[in-house]
Amino acid sequence: MANKVPITVAHGDGIGPEIMDASLRIIQAAGADIDIETIEIGEKAYLAGHTSGMAPEAWDSLRRTRVFFKAPITTPQGGGYKSLNVTARKSLGLYANVRPCVSYYPFVATKHPKMDIVIVRENEEDLYAGIEHRQTDEVYQCLKLISRPGSEKIIRYAFEYARANNRRKVTAFTKDNIMKMTDGLFHKVFDEVAAEYPDLQNEHWIVDIGSAKMADTPEDFDVIVLPNLYGDILSDVAAQIAGSVGLAGSANIGEGAAMFEAIHGSAPRRAGQNLANPSGLLLGGVMMLVHIGQSQVAERVHNAWLRTIEDGIHTYDVYRRGVETGVSKQEVGTREFADAVIARMGKQPETLKPVSYAEGSGIKLATYTPRPPAKRELVGVDVFLYSNDRDPNRLGDAIKAAGDGDGLALTMINNRGQRVYPNGLPETFCSDHWRCRYFATQPGKPITPTQIVNLLNRVQAAGFDFIKTENLYLFDGEPAYSVGQGE
Ligand code: NAD
C-alpha cells in the first residue's frame, strides 16, 4: 500500500454533506490510505464575498494536495458569481473531463442495456475560452480557439485511458466538413495520435450524425474524445440515456492536479433528509483512488457498489415499486445505502460485469514538445467594417476606390461568410457587418504590416468604420485562412 495520500475534500451544499460522508465512509472502509484536508466551498464562501466560491486558504490546500474530491455546490442566483468548476478547471489546468456513462440493466431502467461509453471532453479551449465581442449593432462574435497542444493532450489522454482500461476503440467527433481549420486540426491530430496506438481501433464521425448514432446505438461506441462544446452536450446526453444521471461520476484531470465529483448538482429540495443517492460522488471517488495509485481499493469499492445495486438495495431515485421489474428489493436512505456497500466489501457482482483496475492505471502523459515554427508569410488582410449601407455594390465600389493602392487590392466582400461583392446575389440578406478581403497585388510577394496600417488609414480617411482586422498568412506556403462561401 502507498503512503497516506493527502487529498482536499469539500462537502459542498444541499445534499453534498450527506453524500460526501457516505462516500468517504465507504472508501475508508475499503482501506483507502488518504489524509483528508477539509475545505469550505460553495454558497457560504460566495456569500462571504469570495466570487470564485472558494476562500484563499482553500486554494492553498488544493495547490498543496493537488487532488480535489468535491461534493456539489449551490451557485447563488444573480450576477457576479463565477462558476467554481470553471475557475478550478482553468486555474489548475484540468484539461481532460472524463465521464464514464454505463448502463446497469436490468437494475437501473434504460433503453440501452449494453451501453458502456467513456466521454473524454477537452476542458480548456474551443468556444469556452470566453472571448466574446459585440462588433456592430447586429453582430456578436465568440472566438473558437483550438490549439495543437490542447488537441494533442486530450487525444493522447483518450488513447492512454483506453489502453489503461482495456478498451478497444477511440472515436472522435468533429464538424470538420464546415470548420475545416479548427475542427480540421482536431481531426488531423486525432489521426496522427491514433497511428501511435495500433493496438486500438479508431474512427471519426461528423458530430451531427455521430451524436444521432450514439443516442440510437450507444453500444457501438467505447471511448469518445471531443472538443469542449460537443463534449459538454454529448456527455449529458450519454449520461441521460444510460439511465443514470444520478449515478455518474466524473474526473477533471490536469498535468499536476485533478478534481473528482458527481455530475449532478446539490439537489437542495432533497437536502438533510437522508434521501440522496451517493453513487455519483462515490464513483467519482473510485476514479480518484485509481488516480492516486490505489487501484485495488478502487476495485473493491466499485465491485461492492455494483453488488449492492444488483442486490436491489436502492435509494428512492433508482427504486422501482411492484412486480413490474422485481429488481428493487429494499428502498434505503443515504446512510443505509453506504452501510449496504460496506457490508458487501470484498464481494463481486454476479450479473453485472465486475470491474478490474490494473495496478498503476493512473495515466501520466509525456510532456508536449512544441514543433519548430513554420515559415509564415503575410499575404493579405481581412478588414471588418460596420456599415448600415446595405447595398453591397455601392459599399464595394466605394471601399475599393478608398482601399486599393500601396500593393494591396480588394478581392471580395462578404457578409457573415457569404460573398456579396463583386457579383453577389440580390437575394442574399446583408447585416451591418462586412468583411473586406485585400491581397497583395503581386501574387506570391509578401506584404508588410506597415502596408496594412496604411490601408486602414485610407479606409478610415474615406469615412469607413473598421471594427477589426485579421491578417492573412501562408504557413509553409499553405493558405492559413478559410475561403468565403462563393469566393
Ligand atoms: P440537480 O442535479 O441538483 O438536481 C436535479 C434533479 O435530480 C432533482 O430533482 C434532484 O432531486 C435529483 N437528484 C440530483 N442528484 C441526486 C442524488 N444524488 N440523489 C437523488 N436525487 C438526485 O440540478 P439542479 O436542481 O438544476 O441544481 C441545483 C443546484 O446545484 C444549483 O445551484 C446548481 O447551480 C448546482 N449544480 C452544481 C453542480 C456542481 O457542483 N458540480 C452541478 C450541477 C448543478
Side-chain angles (χ1 to χ4, degrees):
M1 180 67 65
N3 289 333
K4 268 196 187 313
V5 177
I7 64 167
T8 300
V9 169
H11 289 254
D13 300 314
I15 58 170
E18 296 161 77
I19 60 174
M20 183 53 89
D21 284 344
S23 301
L24 287 177
R25 221 154 42 83
I26 296 168
I27 65 175
Q28 284 175 320
D33 219 3
I34 51 177
D35 203 1
I36 294 172
E37 290 187 14
T38 304
I39 60 167
E40 182 90 60
I41 61 163
E43 214 169 8
K44 277 197 208 130
Y46 280 119
L47 298 176
H50 305 294
T51 51
S52 70
M54 208 185 308
E57 315 81 78
W59 284 108
D60 293 343
S61 165
L62 265 185
R63 272 194 289 269
R64 203 166 37 243
T65 68
R66 301 193 156 272
V67 181
F68 190 12
F69 191 27
K70 173 181 161 292
I73 59 162
T74 303
T75 314
Q77 299 287 314
Y81 302 114
K82 291 198 204 114
S83 156
L84 173 61
N85 270 11
V86 174
T87 314
R89 266 179 218 159
K90 289 197 170 167
S91 42
L92 298 174
L94 308 179
Y95 65 88
N97 181 251
V98 182
R99 187 185 285 187
C101 298
V102 185
S103 69
Y104 303 102
Y105 184 82
F107 307 101
V108 178
T110 171
K111 292 178 187 146
H112 303 287
K114 293 197 191 123
M115 174 170 181
D116 183 2
I117 286 179
V118 180
I119 302 276
V120 178
R121 163 188 169 195
E122 197 289 317
N123 231 357
E124 288 184 309
E125 46 187 49
D126 192 1
L127 288 156
Y128 289 57
I131 307 175
E132 294 192 292
H133 297 93
R134 179 176 182 174
Q135 298 183 322
T136 66
D137 268 317
E138 292 175 350
V139 176
Y140 297 66
Q141 170 187 276
C142 175
L143 281 188
K144 170 163 167 136
L145 298 175
I146 301 277
S147 73
R148 176 170 272 277
S151 304
E152 260 192 52
K153 272 198 299 189
I154 193 69
I155 291 166
R156 209 172 281 290
Y157 185 89
F159 279 94
E160 286 293 327
Y161 180 95
R163 207 178 246 175
N165 290 280
N166 299 318
R167 300 267 169 176
R168 65 197 148 77
K169 182 167 78 173
V170 182
T171 304
F173 285 179
T174 74
K175 188 78 185 169
D176 67 338
N177 53 335
I178 301 296
M179 284 162 276
K180 296 186 166 70
M181 301 199 63
T182 47
D183 282 22
L185 173 65
F186 195 89
H187 188 175
K188 183 166 182 268
V189 172
F190 178 77
D191 289 344
E192 288 168 12
V193 173
E196 295 173 29
Y197 296 82
D199 49 318
L200 293 166
Q201 298 168 44
N202 69 81
E203 62 179 11
H204 170 267
W205 288 79
I206 299 293
V207 62
D208 40 31
I209 188 63
S211 311
K213 169 100 178 131
M214 187 200 79
D216 187 47
T217 49
E219 61 277 13
D220 290 348
F221 293 96
D222 195 347
V223 175
I224 307 181
V225 62
L226 309 104
N228 207 340
L229 176 65
Y230 313 141
D232 192 1
I233 298 167
L234 283 181
S235 56
D236 271 15
V237 173
Q240 179 74 33
I241 65 172
S244 61
V245 179
L247 304 187
S250 95
N252 290 277
I253 310 278
E255 263 158 48
M259 174 169 91
F260 302 88
E261 60 184 344
I263 71 168
H264 59 73
S266 58
R269 283 192 311 123
R270 308 286 179 187
Q273 299 159 60
N274 190 37
L275 279 175
N277 188 346
S279 300
L281 187 61
L282 179 68
L283 293 180
V286 167
M287 294 166 91
M288 175 181 75
L289 291 168
V290 175
H291 176 81
I292 62 175
Q294 299 185 16
S295 305
Q296 282 178 11
V297 186
E299 205 171 293
R300 278 161 61 78
V301 172
H302 204 154
N303 284 325
W305 176 81
L306 285 168
R307 181 60 181 265
T308 309
I309 294 291
E310 199 178 271
D311 284 348
I313 317 289
H314 294 165
T315 44
Y316 83 92
D317 53 316
V318 175
Y319 188 81
R320 280 175 294 161
R321 259 164 248 285
V323 284
E324 160 222 353
T325 62
V327 292
S328 289
K329 301 276 189 294
Q330 194 186 346
E331 186 171 350
V332 293
T334 315
R335 279 193 296 275
E336 295 71 28
F337 183 83
D339 294 340
V341 178
I342 292 167
R344 285 163 181 75
M345 210 52 80
K347 292 202 170 144
Q348 301 250 330
E350 287 170 346
T351 308
L352 297 168
K353 199 164 136 244
V355 292
S356 81
Y357 295 107
E359 206 47 62
S361 50
I363 292 162
K364 192 99 192 92
L365 288 192
T367 316
Y368 174 77
T369 322
R371 304 184 149 207
K375 182 176 174 225
R376 195 168 61 120
E377 292 168 289
L378 185 61
V379 293
V381 64
D382 280 342
V383 178
F384 290 77
L385 295 184
Y386 172 24
S387 170
N388 264 317
D389 183 349
R390 310 300 169 109
D391 179 341
N393 290 322
R394 191 165 50 226
L395 179 75
D397 290 345
I399 189 107
K400 189 163 170 30
D404 284 355
D406 194 21
L408 283 169
L410 182 76
T411 57
M412 65 126 188
I413 298 181
N414 73 27
N415 195 295
R416 291 171 306 144
Q418 179 65 39
R419 190 189 65 188
V420 293
Y421 179 90
N423 309 323
L425 293 175
E427 290 83 2
T428 305
F429 175 80
C430 290
S431 72
D432 57 5
H433 184 272
W434 308 81
R435 178 173 64 151
C436 307
R437 175 160 284 184
Y438 290 86
F439 274 120
T441 42
Q442 278 180 279
K445 183 163 181 285
I447 61 165
T448 63
T450 310
Q451 285 170 277
I452 294 178
V453 174
N454 294 341
L455 167 70
L456 293 179
N457 277 326
R458 294 197 301 280
V459 166
Q460 192 191 12
F464 291 102
D465 186 354
F466 70 84
I467 48 178
K468 72 160 193 169
T469 60
E470 291 283 352
N471 289 352
L472 306 177
Y473 292 108
L474 301 180
F475 274 78
D476 285 339
E478 292 290 322
Y481 44 84
S482 58
V483 290
Q485 288 284 343
E487 197 179 342

